[in-house]
Amino acid sequence: MCGPKDPKARGTKLEAASHPARLLLPSPPLSVTLATRHHRSASDPTVPSRPTSLSRAAARRGREDEELPFLQALHAKPARFLFPSLKAYELPSSTTLLTTALLLFLLFASQLILIPRLAPYFRQPIQPPLFCPAPVSNPFLQQLYCRAPDHRVGTLYGSSQNSMALAAAAERVAAEFEYSAQDVNRGVQEFMREMDEGLGKQGATMSQIPTYVTAVPNGTEKGLYMAVDLGGTNFRVCSIQLHGNSTFSLTQSKVKIPQELMVAKTSKELFAFLAKQIETFLKTHHNDHYVNHVEKRRRKGSLFEGTHDEEVFHLGFTFSFPVQQSGINKGTLIRWTKGFDIKDTIGKDVCALLQKEIDALDLPVKVAALVNDTVGTLMARSYTSPGKTGTLLGAIFGTGTNGAYVEKLARVTKLKKVGAGKQDVDDSTGEMIINTEWGSFDNHLSVLPNTPYDKSLDAESNNPGIQMFEKRVSGMFLGEILRRALVGLIKDPSVPLFSDEHSNQNDVHSTTNIHDNSPLWSQWALDTSFLSIASADNTAGLKNTRQTLDSDYGVSAPSAEDAEAVRLIASAVGKRAARLSAVAIAAVILSTGKLQHPTDIATTNNATLEVNEDEVVDVGVDGSLVEFYPNFEEFIREALREVEGIGKEGERRVRIGIAKDGSGVGAALIALVADRAMRASSSPNASSAAAGAGGLAGFFTQFLSDLNRNLRVRV
Ligand code: BGC
């Protein structure tokens, strides 16, 4: 590890090279000379490790007494060597020259070849600070302190009794979120068991929903396709223009879902709103097409009569809620999640609901595919990921959480039980994308952690006992968990949180005070983004955290100690969420055996990778948590290393990549698949042509290469 990477050694070599006369010395050999000089400068506190020319001269003068006689001679007669005769340069022996050349060559080779190759082996995903004065003995807390950004941990607490009481209380609450390596492993085992159960029967805790995505587009289609995305706070509409030569372009718009529609009395209210947005989008971005269609319809008197198929938009509907899918554009809602709650939608076909409202507006749009956002993420990631290995898993860690992965069709035994026949399932690929709906993993709480904050959050939610994994992992809930933990401390008279105990450290106002209308008192009012702000805060005295508490959360003039306590608990909540996320990822990797057979799914790209690309297990992720929460991926990786069957070796081979906006792009891509499948099924040789050979590997290879790489996004 010394050599070229050691700055002292580098300094020494440079110095030697800038004094060629020293190469004239007959003995000792160069390597010994360098080692001697290195040793001297390192042991002499007056000589800096990277000496400047001035300090070098001073140091040289100071050292002359102790130097060997021939070095003293050199220093005494600098002129002779500063202007040496040509003859003097001819003096080095061939051994010296050879040694120098060899050293230079080795230096060069190590820079060019060895270092880039070895780098990944030395690289640690997490770089804890070198000095970490963690004041606690619990490793979970210690890590939270040590991973905190540049900030001397514990320094914000004072030495008064109140300060120590606050520190102790914060540590006690943070420790409640500990999720040990043993917990992770138990979680993985149970997750794998529930995955198997869900593949075998309907109504299992984890739904394991078959998606029916199996057909292959050939890239020659022309026309406009659309995708809409309903899954959280926003509704997105986009259109994809196929140019017929495997290129396409994408246009999209976004609108916030009004809160009252999320809990509307009837499905109609929500779906009519969605259809209206589609109409607005068409008028804004495809007005000619829209006007032509409406005029034609008026002339003919019916929506589709006389309309050529290519004049109708085929729409991919990303609907990111648990749906029992029974065909590529058919599926009934199992339950609402993420704050939506419209009773009469349960059990209804959501594609039909949307189509009805689209038809009511006479729009030239056919709902052609029903897509979960995780499936879209998987498709989009597989399309963009480097290397020839296909993506195994698409996962969302955002407002909600869920994953979709590539499963062997033979393992989806419940397909037969629900009577899905050859006409519904194209088995020629031997694989199918499964939407796990892992948000409901372990609803019965056999392995999930269950703090008092988790319990009360669930009890007061609109779906108690449901989505228990999601309620501990996703952005919709983490802010609320933190809020409950903080309120618990605020209400405890023995804990001086936000108590004005430290007002001398406040630089905003003088008195710490929680306003009556502070969002801290309201359910769901603490946004998960606050966890990111606090966990990432490296400002002096945690000023960012204090200012956010003051401006957004009605806590005027919180002290630095308050912020220190808040940050520790926020980091603990976030870290537990990341470690739970690792449980899901690890279980999918282990249950599919992809560490043993990573190349089952192929794509055509061939970018360079740090590990042998044949060994990569690719995971596409999206969502605000994984994108913005500090160290989320690193915490996941740390937990993956602790999983039996994955370990350090396996974790290194897991590649996690963001598939930004995968749900929108993916849905548009699946709309193409669906359109092609529909056309194929109406042609005589349809079914055999649809899938092509080569498993889902072939599916992705052909599908993705056919679509070519020409995505242009306009917002
Ligand atoms: C839904 C899933 C969705 C996930 C991420 C969950 O609440 O049940 O269908 O994929 O959120 O958006």
Short mmCIF file of all heavy atoms in Angstrom, two decimals, residues 231 319-323 335 337-338 372-374 396 398-403 435 437 439 467 470, ligand 1:
data_model
loop_
_atom_site.label_atom_id
_atom_site.label_comp_id
_atom_site.label_asym_id
_atom_site.label_seq_id
_atom_site.Cartn_x
_atom_site.Cartn_y
_atom_site.Cartn_z
N GLY A 231 -50.04 6.50 -8.30
CA GLY A 231 -49.39 5.65 -7.30
C GLY A 231 -49.03 6.36 -6.03
O GLY A 231 -48.59 5.74 -5.07
N PHE A 319 -50.61 1.53 -12.18
CA PHE A 319 -51.50 1.67 -11.05
C PHE A 319 -50.80 0.99 -9.88
O PHE A 319 -50.75 -0.24 -9.80
CB PHE A 319 -52.83 0.98 -11.39
CG PHE A 319 -53.88 1.13 -10.33
CD1 PHE A 319 -54.56 2.34 -10.17
CD2 PHE A 319 -54.21 0.08 -9.50
CE1 PHE A 319 -55.55 2.48 -9.19
CE2 PHE A 319 -55.20 0.21 -8.52
CZ PHE A 319 -55.86 1.41 -8.37
N SER A 320 -50.20 1.79 -8.99
CA SER A 320 -49.27 1.23 -8.01
C SER A 320 -49.94 0.91 -6.69
O SER A 320 -49.62 1.48 -5.63
CB SER A 320 -48.10 2.18 -7.84
OG SER A 320 -47.52 2.39 -9.11
N PHE A 321 -50.88 0.01 -6.77
CA PHE A 321 -51.60 -0.50 -5.60
C PHE A 321 -51.79 -2.00 -5.84
O PHE A 321 -51.71 -2.46 -6.98
CB PHE A 321 -52.96 0.21 -5.46
CG PHE A 321 -52.82 1.70 -5.31
CD1 PHE A 321 -52.86 2.53 -6.43
CD2 PHE A 321 -52.61 2.26 -4.07
CE1 PHE A 321 -52.69 3.90 -6.30
CE2 PHE A 321 -52.45 3.64 -3.93
CZ PHE A 321 -52.49 4.45 -5.06
N PRO A 322 -52.06 -2.75 -4.78
CA PRO A 322 -52.20 -4.20 -4.97
C PRO A 322 -53.44 -4.53 -5.82
O PRO A 322 -54.56 -4.19 -5.43
CB PRO A 322 -52.37 -4.73 -3.54
CG PRO A 322 -51.90 -3.63 -2.65
CD PRO A 322 -52.16 -2.35 -3.36
N VAL A 323 -53.18 -5.19 -6.94
CA VAL A 323 -54.26 -5.52 -7.86
C VAL A 323 -54.16 -7.01 -8.21
O VAL A 323 -53.07 -7.52 -8.45
CB VAL A 323 -54.10 -4.67 -9.15
CG1 VAL A 323 -54.85 -5.31 -10.31
CG2 VAL A 323 -54.59 -3.26 -8.93
N ARG A 335 -56.70 -3.91 -2.34
CA ARG A 335 -56.85 -2.93 -1.25
C ARG A 335 -56.13 -1.66 -1.67
O ARG A 335 -55.20 -1.68 -2.48
CB ARG A 335 -56.28 -3.46 0.06
CG ARG A 335 -54.79 -3.74 -0.02
CD ARG A 335 -54.19 -4.31 1.25
NE ARG A 335 -52.80 -4.72 1.00
CZ ARG A 335 -52.44 -5.89 0.51
NH1 ARG A 335 -53.36 -6.80 0.21
NH2 ARG A 335 -51.18 -6.17 0.29
N THR A 337 -53.67 1.53 -0.63
CA THR A 337 -52.56 1.77 0.29
C THR A 337 -52.20 3.26 0.21
O THR A 337 -52.85 4.01 -0.52
CB THR A 337 -51.32 0.93 -0.08
OG1 THR A 337 -50.92 1.28 -1.42
CG2 THR A 337 -51.59 -0.56 0.01
N LYS A 338 -51.20 3.67 0.95
CA LYS A 338 -50.60 5.01 0.86
C LYS A 338 -51.61 6.15 1.04
O LYS A 338 -51.54 7.17 0.37
CB LYS A 338 -49.86 5.17 -0.48
CG LYS A 338 -48.68 4.23 -0.64
CD LYS A 338 -48.00 4.35 -1.96
CE LYS A 338 -48.74 3.62 -3.05
NZ LYS A 338 -47.95 3.38 -4.26
N ASN A 372 -47.77 -2.33 -12.59
CA ASN A 372 -47.37 -1.82 -11.29
C ASN A 372 -46.07 -1.02 -11.48
O ASN A 372 -45.27 -1.33 -12.37
CB ASN A 372 -47.14 -3.00 -10.33
CG ASN A 372 -46.87 -2.52 -8.92
OD1 ASN A 372 -45.73 -2.31 -8.52
ND2 ASN A 372 -47.93 -2.31 -8.17
N ASP A 373 -45.86 0.01 -10.63
CA ASP A 373 -44.66 0.84 -10.82
C ASP A 373 -43.36 0.04 -10.69
O ASP A 373 -42.36 0.34 -11.35
CB ASP A 373 -44.64 2.04 -9.85
CG ASP A 373 -44.85 1.67 -8.39
OD1 ASP A 373 -45.07 0.49 -8.10
OD2 ASP A 373 -44.79 2.57 -7.54
N THR A 374 -43.41 -1.04 -9.89
CA THR A 374 -42.19 -1.84 -9.75
C THR A 374 -41.87 -2.58 -11.05
O THR A 374 -40.71 -2.77 -11.40
CB THR A 374 -42.37 -2.88 -8.63
OG1 THR A 374 -43.57 -3.61 -8.88
CG2 THR A 374 -42.46 -2.21 -7.27
N ILE A 396 -39.29 -0.24 -5.41
CA ILE A 396 -39.60 1.15 -5.08
C ILE A 396 -39.42 1.34 -3.58
O ILE A 396 -39.97 0.58 -2.78
CB ILE A 396 -41.07 1.48 -5.44
CG1 ILE A 396 -41.36 1.22 -6.92
CG2 ILE A 396 -41.41 2.93 -5.05
CD1 ILE A 396 -40.86 2.25 -7.89
N GLY A 398 -40.15 4.56 -1.87
CA GLY A 398 -40.61 5.95 -1.95
C GLY A 398 -41.74 6.13 -0.97
O GLY A 398 -41.66 5.70 0.18
N THR A 399 -42.85 6.74 -1.43
CA THR A 399 -44.02 6.90 -0.58
C THR A 399 -44.46 5.54 -0.06
O THR A 399 -44.79 5.36 1.11
CB THR A 399 -45.17 7.54 -1.38
OG1 THR A 399 -44.65 8.69 -2.03
CG2 THR A 399 -46.32 7.93 -0.48
N GLY A 400 -44.46 4.55 -0.97
CA GLY A 400 -44.71 3.16 -0.57
C GLY A 400 -43.49 2.32 -0.90
O GLY A 400 -42.48 2.84 -1.37
N THR A 401 -43.58 1.03 -0.63
CA THR A 401 -42.47 0.16 -1.04
C THR A 401 -43.02 -1.14 -1.61
O THR A 401 -44.08 -1.63 -1.19
CB THR A 401 -41.50 -0.14 0.13
OG1 THR A 401 -40.42 -0.92 -0.39
CG2 THR A 401 -42.16 -0.92 1.26
N ASN A 402 -42.28 -1.67 -2.60
CA ASN A 402 -42.71 -2.90 -3.25
C ASN A 402 -41.60 -3.34 -4.20
O ASN A 402 -40.68 -2.56 -4.49
CB ASN A 402 -44.01 -2.64 -4.04
CG ASN A 402 -44.62 -3.92 -4.63
OD1 ASN A 402 -44.28 -5.02 -4.22
ND2 ASN A 402 -45.53 -3.75 -5.58
N GLY A 403 -41.68 -4.60 -4.67
CA GLY A 403 -40.70 -5.09 -5.62
C GLY A 403 -41.33 -6.04 -6.62
O GLY A 403 -42.29 -6.74 -6.30
N ASN A 435 -45.20 -9.42 -9.37
CA ASN A 435 -45.31 -8.27 -8.48
C ASN A 435 -45.54 -8.80 -7.06
O ASN A 435 -46.61 -9.29 -6.74
CB ASN A 435 -46.48 -7.39 -8.94
CG ASN A 435 -46.86 -6.34 -7.90
OD1 ASN A 435 -46.10 -6.06 -6.99
ND2 ASN A 435 -48.03 -5.75 -8.07
N GLU A 437 -45.81 -7.35 -4.09
CA GLU A 437 -46.58 -6.60 -3.08
C GLU A 437 -46.00 -6.85 -1.69
O GLU A 437 -46.71 -7.19 -0.73
CB GLU A 437 -48.07 -6.94 -3.15
CG GLU A 437 -48.80 -6.30 -4.30
CD GLU A 437 -48.79 -4.76 -4.29
OE1 GLU A 437 -48.63 -4.17 -3.21
OE2 GLU A 437 -48.90 -4.17 -5.38
N GLY A 439 -45.06 -4.93 0.49
CA GLY A 439 -45.48 -4.00 1.54
C GLY A 439 -46.26 -4.72 2.64
O GLY A 439 -46.30 -4.30 3.79
N GLN A 467 -50.17 -3.90 5.44
CA GLN A 467 -48.97 -3.20 4.94
C GLN A 467 -47.98 -2.94 6.10
O GLN A 467 -47.44 -1.85 6.24
CB GLN A 467 -49.34 -1.86 4.26
CG GLN A 467 -50.25 -1.98 3.06
CD GLN A 467 -49.62 -2.65 1.86
OE1 GLN A 467 -49.93 -3.81 1.56
NE2 GLN A 467 -48.75 -1.96 1.16
N GLU A 470 -44.43 -2.15 4.86
CA GLU A 470 -44.42 -0.80 4.28
C GLU A 470 -44.44 0.26 5.38
O GLU A 470 -43.79 1.30 5.28
CB GLU A 470 -45.63 -0.64 3.36
CG GLU A 470 -45.69 0.69 2.65
CD GLU A 470 -46.68 0.68 1.50
OE1 GLU A 470 -47.89 0.83 1.71
OE2 GLU A 470 -46.22 0.50 0.36
C1 BGC B 1 -48.40 -0.52 -3.34
C2 BGC B 1 -47.59 -1.13 -4.46
C3 BGC B 1 -46.64 -0.12 -5.02
C4 BGC B 1 -45.81 0.49 -3.93
C5 BGC B 1 -44.83 1.53 -4.42
C6 BGC B 1 -47.50 0.14 -2.34
O1 BGC B 1 -48.27 0.80 -1.38
O2 BGC B 1 -49.18 -1.50 -2.71
O3 BGC B 1 -48.44 -1.63 -5.46
O4 BGC B 1 -45.82 -0.74 -5.96
O5 BGC B 1 -46.65 1.09 -2.96
O6 BGC B 1 -45.45 2.57 -5.06
#
